[in-house]
Amino acid sequence: MNMHSTLPDIDSPAVYPYRPSTAVDAAVPEAPRAGRRWLIPALIALVVIAAAVFVWTKYIQKPAPPPAPTVLVPQVTILVPGQVAVADAVTASGSVAARRDASVGVNGEGGRVTDVLVEPGQSVAKGQILARIDRSVQVQTTASLAASIRQAEADAALADSDLKRAEALVGKGFVSKADIDKKTAAREGARARVAVARAQHAESQARLARLDIRAPAAGLVLSRSVETGQVVSGGSAAMFRIAEGGVLEMRALVAEQDIARLKTGLAASVTPTGSSTQYRGTVWLIDPVIDNVSRQGIVRIALAYAPGLRVGAFASARISAGEATRPVLPQSAVQVDDKGSYVYIIGAGNKVERRNITVGSVSDQGVAISAGLQGNERVVATAAAFLNPGEKVIPVTARTAAR
C-alpha cells in the first residue's frame, strides 16, 4: 500500500454520498466566494498599469518631430533697365485761379441796388456798368447845385456891370475911389461863389457817378454776390470778382528738386480733375519762395479762358523740361502704396528688397524714374505685388526690356 497516496476529501460526495447539508452551507455558495478572493488584486494591477501608461506618455515618451515642410522658391521675371534718353517732364498738381483777380465793390456811400447787369462767365469791357444803386436823392442834390451855379453866375454878372458903370463915373467925380474898391471886391466875391457852386456841383456829379458799379478793367466775371434790392455800403463785401484780361492760371505745387529744372516760357498741359481734356499753357512765373515744411514751390502756368476751366478747381499739370537720361520701367514694375511709389529689386542672396522711387514722366516708352534707381539694379518686372521684402526668389531675366 502506497503511503504517499492522497487521502480522499471528506467533503467529497464520492466518499460521503449521504453527508447532510448544514444551514451555513446553504447560505454561502462556493463559487462567489472564490471570485471575490481575486477581485482586489485585479483592481490593484489595473491601477498600477494605468499609472505606468500615464507616466510613460507624459514624462518619458517624446513625440516624433513633424516632417519639415517643403519650401517652394518662386521664380520672378527681372530686368536691368539701364538708362535711356526720354522726354523730361515735371508733373505737379494744384488749383486753377485768376491770374489777376480784381474785386469790385462799392466806391461811395452805397444804397439800395436797383439793377444787376452782368452774370458770372460774361466778358466785360473796362468801365462797363455792372450794377446800379438807387440815386433819387443824389439826382435832386445835383440839380440843386446846378441851380446854385446859375444864381452865382447871375450875381457875378451883376457885380461886374456895377463895377464897370462905377469906373465910367470916376472921371466925372460922381464915384469915389473907395466905392470902386468896394464894387471890385463884390465882383470878385461873386466870381468866387460861382467857382464854389461849380465845385460843389462837380462833387455831387462824382458821387452820383459812383452809384454805377463799373468794371475796373476788361476781363471775365468770375462771381457776383449781389442781388437787386440789396442794400450795400462801403463796408460791404465785394460785389463782383473779375479775372483781368480773361487770363487764368494754374498754381502748380512742384517739389524743390524739380523746380531747378524749370524756367519761364516752358510749355505745359493742364488737365482738370474729372476731365480728360488737356489745356495748353505756358509757365509765366516761378515763385521765389520754397515752403519750409512741404519743401514745395509754386509754378504759375498761364491759361486762356475756356468753359472747362473753373476757378478753384483742382488740376494736374505736365511741364515739358527738355530731354534727360533716366531708367525706364514697364508700368507693371512700379507699385504704389501710402508711402509712395516703389519697386522691388533682387539683392544679395536673391532676396527681395524694396526700393522707393520718384516717378518722372509716363509715355509709350514706359515709366521714367527720376530718382531712386541708377539703372544697374535687377528690378522685378512682373508679379511684384505678390512678393514681400526679404523673400528669396529665383530670378529669371526677361528677354527684352520694355521700352
Side-chain angles (χ1 to χ4, degrees):
M1 184 175 184
N2 188 357
M3 297 299 294
H4 298 284
S5 300
T6 302
L7 294 177
D9 189 352
I10 60 173
D11 295 327
S12 175
V15 178
Y16 299 102
Y18 300 104
R19 180 179 182 269
S21 60
T22 63
V24 178
D25 293 337
V28 182
E30 188 67 23
R33 183 180 301 171
R36 191 177 300 161
R37 188 182 308 125
W38 293 99
L39 180 61
I40 294 177
L43 291 176
I44 294 174
L46 288 175
V47 171
V48 172
I49 292 172
V53 171
F54 175 78
V55 173
W56 172 262
T57 57
K58 184 71 175 177
Y59 299 103
I60 299 176
Q61 185 181 12
K62 295 182 179 180
T70 303
V71 178
L72 298 178
V73 180
Q75 290 185 352
V76 295
T77 303
I78 65 166
L79 58 86
V80 179
Q83 293 195 354
V84 297
V86 295
D88 192 15
V90 173
T91 57
S93 58
S95 58
V96 178
R99 182 171 175 176
R100 294 284 184 264
D101 194 339
S103 297
V104 183
V106 178
N107 193 27
E109 59 272 13
R112 182 176 58 85
V113 177
T114 58
D115 295 290
V116 179
L117 306 177
V118 295
E119 297 293 339
Q122 181 177 340
S123 295
V124 295
K126 182 178 181 179
Q128 180 176 335
I129 298 176
L130 308 178
R132 289 192 176 98
I133 298 176
D134 178 62
R135 63 195 63 210
S136 56
V137 175
Q138 289 82 355
V139 167
Q140 297 302 321
T141 302
T142 302
S144 174
L145 292 174
S148 299
I149 293 175
R150 292 192 295 271
Q151 181 181 1
E153 289 176 341
D155 292 342
L158 179 61
D160 186 63
S161 297
D162 288 344
L163 177 60
K164 288 179 179 179
R165 285 191 297 268
E167 288 176 341
L169 297 174
V170 169
K172 299 178 181 180
F174 294 104
V175 177
S176 66
K177 181 65 175 175
D179 290 336
I180 294 297
D181 292 339
K182 288 180 181 179
K183 291 183 181 298
T184 300
R187 185 191 67 178
E188 295 302 322
R191 288 179 176 178
R193 285 190 291 276
V194 171
V196 170
R198 287 176 177 172
Q200 290 175 341
H201 181 261
E203 178 186 0
S204 179
Q205 285 183 318
R207 291 180 181 276
L208 184 63
R210 292 197 301 184
L211 296 178
D212 289 332
I213 309 301
R214 297 177 180 271
L220 177 74
V221 178
L222 299 177
S223 66
R224 89 173 210 190
S225 57
V226 64
E227 298 295 337
T228 302
Q230 182 177 341
V231 177
V232 295
S233 64
S236 301
M239 301 168 63
F240 301 93
R241 287 176 56 207
I242 295 178
E244 293 186 14
V247 179
L248 306 180
E249 70 176 8
M250 177 187 171
R251 299 173 183 175
L253 294 173
V254 180
E256 180 180 7
Q257 64 271 17
D258 292 331
I259 285 186
R261 299 169 18 222
L262 302 180
K263 60 182 180 180
T264 57
L266 292 177
S269 60
V270 174
T271 305
T273 299
S275 172
S276 59
T277 305
Q278 293 185 347
Y279 299 91
R280 299 296 177 182
T282 305
V283 175
W284 75 274
L285 179 66
I286 300 176
D287 283 4
V289 178
I290 298 294
D291 188 271
N292 58 2
V293 176
S294 65
R295 310 311 304 172
Q296 292 179 320
I298 297 178
V299 175
R300 299 174 184 262
I301 303 170
L303 299 166
Y305 172 74
L309 290 174
R310 293 175 174 82
V311 173
F314 193 76
S316 60
R318 186 176 185 273
I319 306 171
S320 300
E323 191 175 83
T325 303
R326 302 187 184 281
V328 177
L329 298 175
Q331 293 189 5
S332 60
V334 179
Q335 306 295 316
V336 180
D337 61 9
D338 55 354
K339 297 180 181 179
S341 299
Y342 67 95
V343 296
Y344 280 136
I345 65 173
I346 307 303
N350 289 336
K351 291 186 178 181
V352 177
E353 298 177 5
R354 174 181 172 131
R355 179 71 62 84
N356 294 328
I357 60 171
T358 301
V359 174
S361 60
V362 179
S363 64
D364 294 338
Q365 290 179 288
V367 181
I369 309 302
S370 59
L373 290 179
Q374 299 297 323
N376 57 355
E377 298 88 351
R378 297 185 296 170
V379 181
V380 177
T382 58
F386 300 98
L387 300 177
N388 296 306
E391 185 177 355
K392 190 171 183 180
V393 297
I394 299 175
V396 178
T397 304
R399 293 182 179 180
T400 58
R403 287 288 184 270

